[in-house]
Amino acid sequence: MPTAQPIARPSVLTVPREATGSPGRANIALIVGVVVVGAWVFVAAFAPWLAPHSPTDLDVMNRLESPGSTHLFGTDEAGRDNFSRVLYGARITVPLAFTVILLASLFGAGVGAVAGYVGGRVDEVLMRVVDIVLAFPPIVLAMAITAALGAGLRNAMLAILLVSWPEFSRLMRGQVLAIKENDYVIAARALGAPGFRVVLTHILPNAFPPIVVKGSLDVGNAIIFTAALSFIGLGAVPPAPEWGAMIAAGQSKFEYWWVATFPGLAILSIVLGFNFLGDGLQDWLNPRLRRD
Amino acid sequence: MLLTYLGRRMVLAVVALFGVVLTAFLVAHSVPADPLATVLSEQATKDPSIRAAYVKRWGLDRTLPEQFGAYLANVLRGDLGESFTTRRPVLQDLKQFLPATVELSLAALAVAVCFGVPLGVWAAVHHNRLPDHAARAVSLVGAASPIFWTGLIALYVFYYLLEWAPGPGRLDSHQTMPPRVTGFLLVDSLAAGNLELFASALRHLILPALVLGWFILGIIARTTRSSLLEVLATDYVRTARAKGLGEGLVVGFHALRNALIPVVTIIGLTFAGLLSGAVLTETVFAWPGIGRYAVTASTRLDYPAILGVTMLTAVIYITVNLIVDLLYGVLDPRIRVR
Amino acid sequence: MLVTRNVMRFLAVSTLGLAVVLLAGGGPVQAQSRQETLIIARNIDDYVTNDVHRTYEYTSQILDTAAYDTLVTVDAPDFTKIQPRLAASWTVSPDGTTYTFKIRPGVKFTSGNPLTANDVRFSLRRLKNLKDNPSFFMDPVKDIQVVDDLTIRIVLNAPDASFLAALAAVPCGVADSKVVMAKGGTDADDAKDKDKATEWLNNQSEGSGPYKLVSFTKNVEAVLERNAGYWGKKPYFAKVIFKHVPTGTTQREMVERGDADVAHDFDVDIVAKITQGPKIKILEGLSMNQVYVGVTNSAEMSKELADKRVRQAVAYAIDYDGIIKGIVRGAGERPSTMIPLGILGGDKSLARKRDVAKAKQLLTEAGYPNGVELKLTYWTAPLLGVASEPLAAKLQADLAQAGIKVTLDPKERSVAIAEYRAGKIQLMLASWSPDYLDPDPYADAFYGAGPVPKRVKYSNPKVNDIIATAKKEQDPKKREALYMEMNKIALEDVPEIMLVQPKNFVGLNPAIKGYAIHPIWWVTVANLSR
């Protein structure tokens, strides 16, 4: 192992936690997480019906109106309804973050599984690649990639994907290494089962819980990441109602605080939801989990 | 045994560094435009003599592997190209702006440790009661907030509304920097004997350090809490209690000392996260560090600068990791055997 | 419990310590030096160069007018009156082609070199031969003769009513020829390729003005220091710092907190939220600036826009009233073309009115019954007091109603300016400020031999003729009639679409005295005091 700690980059909730108590006690974190995330997924799916106005309809005579009855979250600098834009923002952010992390986790876990199972030279080479990508602070590398390829959500997605997959590899590899020493795996191999069957039927089912936990936490991070890139000007192109871009627009006229504040609260709430979800999943999938 | 471990770690670090340069090179070549755009500004690309000189220096008229060779050679020499924005060698820019980021990061770390460790201890001692839940709430919200958003709000509230914090920048607008010794204002102002500048620099550090540190504070608090809880349940602590030692001594000395080991590790690892967070914090607080340099470079499509910053931050991370690993290898013999 | 108490004590001490440091500071600052320093909070990322003979941006004008003297100048209260600066007096020959200037004696450059007629000749020739953006100011000049050390004669190709106004423009500043040449500068005919002094001049000035540019850090700050050897009245402020502050809110915060004295980038939205009082004062006035859309005429950039009817369709689709009433909340005017109101030839009567039906009809006539797709490029920094993003979004929405689908292409300002100057745009939302106060530079700059027609690939020989004739015309009434004719053609050809001539807003610390908004270079810092 290249470092003493298998976790290269700590996120809040992968640190060891004590057991939450007796099995009968409700897993509050999981419930809260599912509710919040579920609510936002609902918003993302049904925004066109939930939103009172179109997110791009502008009304220059009512610019920067403070929150009120016609505009719940006020209007932005072009007179667009802030509330509708926040709702539609979920349509951009939620699917994007899900897709990116799904792809990153599949690819990363795949690489990690191969490295862990096959071992030897292959393992060394793959892990070196992982080390290299992990050496860059993610946002700096993502900025470099988007600057090279051009602004736009698609390139931002690609950049985030490229910086997100390595940690899944590390995690998966660790899991595979631990599990493949188990008796049932050795038995299966002794009985002559082919490698990939062993991986698929024996190793993966036991290895995936931490991947799922990390995945759900990472969706939250991906949301913040996309917003950060848009905030700098490298992600979403106007007039798309992307939350990071909305915060950027609101920051230059912060007296009109609602323009930047509500998108930020949206990000906060949805990421909290994913953090709770990950926390809850961790408890649910492996209640005796200590250090990874 | 130790030497083999050290040796191995260093070799791996070198491999990683090589990979970093290769990655930067590949990113540079993904620019779908004039390849010279990655090293020269638009005006310069029109001057044939300048073009020719650059083509020669960066090997742009040769095959890709040869280009990489030229690139690697240049990087090892310290030639990272010239920034379009500042018209200076990128390395010079980085040297100028790096101290500000390091100073901010260290300040943020200090804030995070000074507030995070006590918070974690408090939460552990009162675990599953109100202080524990409060601490958890603080760290959860810290991890879930986009740092540029909290920075904006903090700046508006504390600078403008409450008038507690000073404005953007490292010093007041009319103050000039002290003569540069280290690049750290806190050090340089003291070295110049200028207490006023020192105070001003410190005041300007606080708000961005708080904003940047809040995210890390949560992690440190939680790590302290969990680690302390584990240790408190161990045999030797029970023994210490049974022996009649006061609770304060038990927790404050015996338990904490061992509980802090993973915290120290976490601190080392969060450094990379600090660098990331610094990028956005510097933008909000107009902090002249490499984070802001990276942001202006990427919006201005100043490719030499972007790649220079990217490589530098990776090099820093690898170095910090190496140091942490080596220290760990020295401190914890079990690691070396693996 | 002991532990809790210790922990609480530690936390309390930390917080207290932090609070003390925060609040205790901000005390009696180096009072004297802050008093004598003027801090201007401004978005200075419009920078391209500070070389006085190339300067064509906004911030560099303020810097270069403080650092370099021109022969004559214009200033408050009457900006149309030509006043002496380097030239103590001048005469004009009866046929209007020969100007003889007597330079005041005893002027020294910051290097110590004395200023002579040679330096004037060098500077004006360098301006012309660098063939950069402002070179066209020197187009009327046939010859420059040094009569003696303090006398210079300029001969024009033909009489030119606006020539004195042109000489007051910042790029006509006089630089220290000895130093500039030592740094690789030249005024020779091939200066465009051979001059190497710009790099030096970007970071320090070599002039004779009341201030000296001592440092320039792109996107951070520009610093002017008082010129100790200045020939004129000693300015109050020993130091002027232009701090780069990109957002209006922060500029306002800084002025109200005393961290800055002047804020340059206020727009109507910020001003609406400011209560004037002891902390901040607002100055306002109609500017001579323009916010407009450059429309390419080149088939290479846009097949559709190369057709005049499509350009006119774009012009008919825009909701001009909505922009004036909504985006700038009424704080602006709309002249019909690029000549602003307040200048001869500036006119409102011909201004095009919105007509979406006509726009659709024109598109159909041009062969695009289903509309066209265009790209609107703009920079993300403010457009001289008008926020760019909402304006671009509005244009996109307006044009959509006529079937023109617009993709927004925001870019960082330096990148956008570079693209615009290279002509690589279809529609460009941009701003403009005066070169000098006469219709001729506007006519040239937008319709004739100046920079913008090159960017949008526009050329109309008829217009060029009118401009040439109007240049020579001495009778103001006849001149005006000529420019009105030009306006009509401009409205037909649509090389640019004029959107708004906005009001200027400046936020000031009430203690600052003598501030007058200068239409060309924002403010003459040498006139300010506290």
Side-chain angles (χ1 to χ4, degrees):
Chain A
M1 288 287 256
T3 52
Q5 268 278 12
I7 304 168
R9 212 182 316 272
S11 58
V12 173
L13 297 155
T14 55
V15 292
R17 294 163 32 76
E18 53 172 318
T20 47
S22 55
R25 186 166 138 186
N27 190 343
I28 299 179
L30 187 61
I31 296 173
V32 171
V34 169
V35 166
V36 173
V37 172
W40 276 111
V41 170
F42 181 78
V43 167
F46 295 104
W49 291 273
L50 294 168
H53 300 95
S54 151
T56 47
D57 266 358
L58 39 85
D59 176 12
V60 288
M61 296 312 299
N62 287 314
R63 299 188 311 114
L64 297 170
E65 230 182 56
S66 52
S69 44
T70 35
H71 297 283
L72 212 59
F73 287 172
T75 62
D76 71 357
E77 70 280 1
R80 296 174 289 224
D81 180 35
N82 215 17
F83 182 62
S84 305
R85 280 171 74 76
V86 169
L87 294 183
Y88 269 86
R91 271 172 96 73
I92 295 179
T93 311
V94 172
L96 187 151
F98 260 123
T99 315
V100 170
I101 297 303
L102 186 64
L103 293 174
S105 59
L106 285 176
F107 179 69
V111 168
V114 168
Y117 191 74
V118 174
R121 238 345 124 67
V122 171
D123 180 22
E124 285 286 333
V125 167
L126 286 176
M127 282 304 110
R128 292 297 75 72
V129 174
V130 165
D131 279 349
I132 290 167
V133 181
L134 282 177
F136 296 94
I139 196 165
V140 176
L141 186 57
M143 277 179 359
I145 296 173
T146 21
L149 298 176
L153 279 174
R154 196 168 303 154
N155 291 332
M157 257 179 81
L158 180 62
I160 299 177
L161 176 58
L162 287 172
V163 303
S164 301
W165 71 265
E167 277 196 35
F168 286 101
S169 294
R170 275 242 180 112
L171 191 57
M172 188 53 159
R173 177 182 177 276
Q175 289 292 101
V176 169
L177 280 178
I179 293 171
K180 82 174 179 183
E181 303 305 324
N182 280 334
D183 290 341
Y184 59 89
V185 175
I186 298 176
R189 290 175 72 177
L191 286 175
F196 69 86
R197 177 111 77 93
V198 175
V199 171
L200 275 175
T201 53
H202 293 292
I203 298 185
L204 284 184
N206 292 300
F208 89 86
I211 303 281
V212 171
V213 170
K214 179 169 170 56
S216 75
L217 295 175
D218 270 9
V219 175
N221 284 339
I223 291 176
I224 296 187
F225 210 142
T226 319
L229 285 176
S230 302
F231 178 77
I232 296 174
L234 292 173
V237 178
E242 202 277 336
W243 292 330
M246 289 162 70
I247 296 178
Q251 72 146 337
S252 58
K253 292 193 178 144
F254 209 71
E255 292 92 347
Y256 302 91
W257 55 269
W258 50 91
V259 182
T261 306
F262 288 112
L265 287 174
I267 297 178
L268 179 59
S269 70
I270 195 175
V271 176
L272 264 179
F274 276 106
N275 286 355
F276 273 113
L277 184 62
D279 218 7
L281 280 175
Q282 193 173 49
D283 274 352
W284 185 50
L285 290 173
N286 195 347
R288 283 185 312 279
L289 185 72
R290 290 217 172 253
R291 228 171 260 264
D292 203 82
Chain B
M1 216 72 256
L2 178 62
L3 280 177
T4 326
Y5 176 74
L6 292 181
R8 185 155 190 272
R9 287 301 297 116
M10 301 213 53
V11 167
L12 289 174
V14 169
V15 171
L17 288 170
F18 178 82
V20 161
V21 178
L22 180 60
T23 311
F25 176 75
L26 290 173
V27 171
H29 276 262
S30 63
V31 176
D34 182 357
L36 264 177
T38 56
V39 287
L40 282 184
S41 63
E42 194 190 330
Q43 270 172 319
T45 54
K46 299 208 191 96
D47 180 337
S49 55
I50 300 183
R51 261 193 98 100
Y54 267 85
V55 167
K56 186 144 180 271
R57 184 130 58 105
W58 297 86
L60 293 170
D61 52 353
R62 300 191 290 207
T63 65
L64 209 62
E66 282 176 330
Q67 280 187 44
F68 177 62
Y71 191 78
L72 186 60
N74 284 333
V75 168
L76 289 174
R77 257 200 307 239
D79 182 358
L80 296 167
E82 207 180 74
S83 157
F84 306 163
T85 315
T86 59
R87 308 288 204 95
R88 290 189 313 183
V90 171
L91 195 63
Q92 201 182 350
D93 279 347
L94 295 176
K95 273 198 268 193
Q96 188 188 337
F97 294 118
L98 184 61
T101 304
V102 175
E103 196 173 30
L104 177 60
S105 303
L106 289 176
L109 202 53
V111 163
V113 169
C114 286
F115 285 90
V117 169
L119 199 61
V121 169
W122 195 38
V125 165
H126 296 278
H127 76 268
N128 282 337
R129 277 171 281 162
L130 186 60
D132 189 13
H133 295 312
R136 179 143 153 209
V138 166
S139 52
L140 277 178
V141 174
S145 331
I147 203 171
F148 51 93
W149 181 72
T150 41
L152 272 178
I153 296 188
L155 190 60
Y156 192 72
V157 169
F158 291 104
Y159 170 57
Y160 185 59
L161 287 182
L162 293 173
E163 299 198 9
W164 287 356
R170 294 174 86 189
L171 291 173
D172 285 341
S173 315
H174 66 282
Q175 291 174 317
T176 38
M177 307 265 287
R180 185 189 163 107
V181 174
T182 57
F184 296 133
L185 275 185
L186 292 179
V187 173
D188 291 352
S189 53
L190 283 179
N194 192 332
L195 277 179
E196 178 146 10
L197 280 184
F198 177 79
S200 177
L202 192 59
R203 275 173 37 241
H204 282 261
L205 255 179
I206 291 175
L207 197 55
L210 271 169
V211 169
L212 181 56
W214 188 18
F215 171 76
I216 314 289
L217 188 154
I219 300 177
I220 290 182
R222 302 226 359 155
T223 314
T224 310
R225 172 193 178 276
S226 318
S227 167
L228 188 58
L229 280 175
E230 266 196 35
V231 168
L232 282 175
T234 56
D235 292 341
Y236 67 87
V237 170
R238 263 192 282 147
T239 313
R241 280 188 180 133
K243 274 206 263 176
L245 284 177
E247 189 67 11
L249 205 57
V250 173
V251 175
F253 184 62
H254 287 296
L256 204 52
R257 201 178 43 156
N258 290 302
L260 282 180
I261 296 175
V263 179
V264 170
T265 321
I266 290 282
I267 289 178
L269 296 168
T270 54
F271 201 67
L274 275 177
L275 285 183
S276 276
V279 168
L280 296 160
T281 315
E282 288 181 16
T283 312
V284 171
F285 288 92
W287 198 261
I290 53 172
R292 196 173 76 153
Y293 183 71
V295 171
T296 33
S298 43
T299 47
R300 288 170 169 257
L301 306 180
D302 185 346
Y303 293 111
I306 298 171
L307 296 170
V309 171
T310 312
M311 277 193 284
L312 177 70
T313 44
V315 166
I316 291 176
Y317 182 69
I318 293 175
T319 315
V320 168
N321 249 23
L322 185 64
I323 294 175
V324 169
D325 280 349
L326 294 180
L327 277 176
Y328 226 66
V330 169
L331 290 173
D332 187 349
R334 295 175 294 171
I335 303 299
R336 300 182 225 152
V337 181
R338 277 210 257 162
Chain C
M1 239 176 82
L2 183 64
V3 176
T4 323
R5 269 206 308 238
N6 282 332
V7 168
M8 295 313 293
R9 258 185 242 156
F10 184 81
L11 270 174
V13 168
S14 302
T15 324
L16 207 59
L18 221 56
V20 164
V21 173
L22 252 185
L23 296 172
V29 183
Q30 296 155 326
Q32 229 268 11
S33 104
R34 174 72 184 91
Q35 281 282 93
E36 292 205 337
T37 307
L38 179 69
I39 302 182
I40 301 184
R42 188 193 160 87
N43 185 329
I44 64 171
D45 69 7
D46 59 330
Y47 167 75
V48 173
T49 177
N50 291 326
D51 182 337
V52 64
H53 302 133
R54 294 187 190 272
T55 170
Y56 213 55
E57 296 71 45
Y58 309 133
T59 311
S60 50
Q61 302 260 314
I62 317 180
L63 299 176
D64 286 342
T65 190
Y68 298 88
D69 289 316
T70 44
L71 284 172
V72 293
T73 192
V74 294
D75 216 331
D78 182 1
F79 294 101
T80 55
K81 178 161 177 283
I82 308 289
Q83 297 184 25
R85 193 166 169 181
L86 273 183
S89 66
W90 59 90
T91 55
V92 186
S93 66
D95 67 349
T97 60
T98 310
Y99 290 72
T100 312
F101 296 90
K102 282 241 177 289
I103 301 169
R104 68 181 67 240
V107 177
K108 283 200 169 42
F109 290 109
T110 50
S111 61
N113 294 333
L115 188 151
T116 66
N118 265 315
D119 298 297
V120 178
R121 179 172 188 274
F122 174 83
S123 300
L124 295 179
R125 278 175 48 85
R126 183 165 183 264
L127 169 61
K128 184 185 179 106
N129 290 331
L130 280 178
K131 298 202 174 56
D132 208 322
N133 283 300
S135 296
F136 70 97
F137 295 4
M138 289 288 109
D139 280 353
V141 172
K142 183 158 120 188
D143 190 22
I144 306 177
Q145 300 155 357
V146 173
V147 175
D148 60 51
D149 266 358
L150 291 178
T151 314
I152 190 150
R153 179 169 298 143
I154 305 180
V155 183
L156 306 181
N157 291 313
D160 184 331
S162 69
F163 187 64
L164 278 177
L167 283 181
V170 179
C172 296
V174 180
D176 187 338
S177 59
K178 292 198 184 69
V179 175
V180 171
M181 285 195 287
K183 298 290 174 192
T186 168
D187 65 337
D189 289 338
D190 59 356
K192 177 165 159 36
D193 299 314
K194 293 287 192 311
D195 185 289
K196 305 261 181 287
T198 303
E199 212 38 63
W200 174 261
L201 292 173
N202 280 340
N203 295 303
Q204 47 266 309
S205 61
E206 300 298 342
S208 56
Y211 285 95
K212 180 173 157 57
L213 176 69
V214 296
S215 90
F216 184 84
T217 322
K218 196 166 177 179
N219 270 27
V220 178
E221 65 176 17
V223 182
L224 295 174
E225 270 177 15
R226 196 160 52 197
N227 177 4
Y230 180 55
W231 54 268
K233 176 161 166 277
K234 176 172 160 185
Y236 176 90
F237 287 107
K239 205 151 122 171
V240 182
I241 304 179
F242 290 80
K243 274 235 154 342
H244 176 57
V245 182
T247 64
T249 305
T250 319
Q251 287 184 9
R252 171 204 175 179
E253 290 165 1
M254 286 171 75
V255 173
E256 290 190 357
R257 283 285 304 268
D259 289 327
D261 301 302
V262 182
H264 270 176
D265 293 298
F266 281 179
D267 60 27
V268 284
D269 299 323
I270 308 244
V271 170
K273 284 273 182 177
I274 294 182
T275 346
Q276 299 195 46
K279 288 202 204 158
I280 189 168
K281 183 171 89 176
I282 305 282
L283 286 184
E284 61 177 82
L286 186 65
S287 72
M288 297 285 182
N289 302 330
Q290 296 112 316
V291 175
Y292 69 100
V293 177
V295 185
T296 192
N297 286 221
S298 141
E300 195 196 324
M301 288 313 305
S302 166
K303 184 177 89 202
E304 296 87 349
L305 286 174
D307 185 331
K308 185 160 75 174
R309 288 169 294 192
V310 176
R311 300 200 296 274
Q312 287 177 1
V314 172
Y316 274 111
I318 298 177
D319 174 16
Y320 300 101
D321 288 338
I323 294 175
I324 303 276
K325 291 207 194 88
I327 304 269
V328 294
R329 299 184 203 244
E333 294 279 0
R334 182 166 72 101
S336 55
T337 61
M338 300 304 292
I339 303 187
L341 298 175
I343 300 251
L344 191 78
D347 148 87
K348 272 207 288 202
S349 63
L350 299 172
R352 180 172 268 127
K353 293 210 180 1
R354 185 181 205 205
D355 191 337
V356 178
K358 184 124 198 253
K360 285 195 188 143
Q361 182 199 354
L362 283 164
L363 283 175
T364 316
E365 276 173 31
Y368 304 105
N370 296 323
V372 296
E373 282 188 29
L374 297 172
K375 187 173 73 165
L376 174 65
T377 311
Y378 62 98
W379 59 71
T380 45
L383 290 160
L384 292 181
V386 179
S388 57
E389 314 255 27
L391 182 51
K394 168 108 180 98
L395 290 173
Q396 183 189 44
D398 288 346
L399 265 47
Q401 293 186 3
I404 304 173
K405 183 162 176 291
V406 170
T407 325
L408 295 182
D409 182 29
K411 288 196 156 68
E412 201 270 341
R413 179 142 59 164
S414 66
V415 180
I417 291 182
E419 256 188 43
Y420 185 31
R421 289 187 176 177
K424 293 192 168 47
I425 44 93
Q426 292 185 345
L427 295 172
M428 178 80 195
L429 180 59
S431 56
W432 190 267
S433 73
D435 295 324
Y436 51 94
L437 297 177
D438 183 88
D440 188 53
Y442 288 95
D444 255 337
F446 290 106
Y447 306 118
V452 180
K454 294 193 179 66
R455 300 173 194 173
V456 298
K457 309 280 189 295
Y458 170 70
S459 177
N460 186 331
K462 189 143 177 272
V463 170
N464 293 339
D465 283 340
I466 298 180
I467 295 178
T469 318
K471 226 195 260 277
K472 295 190 277 227
E473 181 57 64
Q474 306 279 25
D475 176 352
K477 280 232 165 34
K478 291 204 190 123
R479 253 189 125 202
E480 186 169 7
L482 285 166
Y483 286 121
M484 285 301 280
E485 216 191 303
M486 185 193 77
N487 283 342
K488 290 199 187 91
I489 303 180
L491 283 167
E492 260 288 307
D493 288 347
V494 194
E496 301 97 12
I497 302 174
M498 177 63 183
L499 293 178
V500 62
Q501 180 178 344
K503 259 191 173 173
N504 247 329
F505 293 99
V506 174
L508 273 191
N509 180 332
I512 302 292
K513 297 204 275 276
Y515 199 104
I517 300 180
H518 197 291
I520 304 178
W521 52 75
W522 270 258
V523 61
T524 311
V525 291
N527 293 344
L528 300 176
S529 60
R530 195 189 292 277

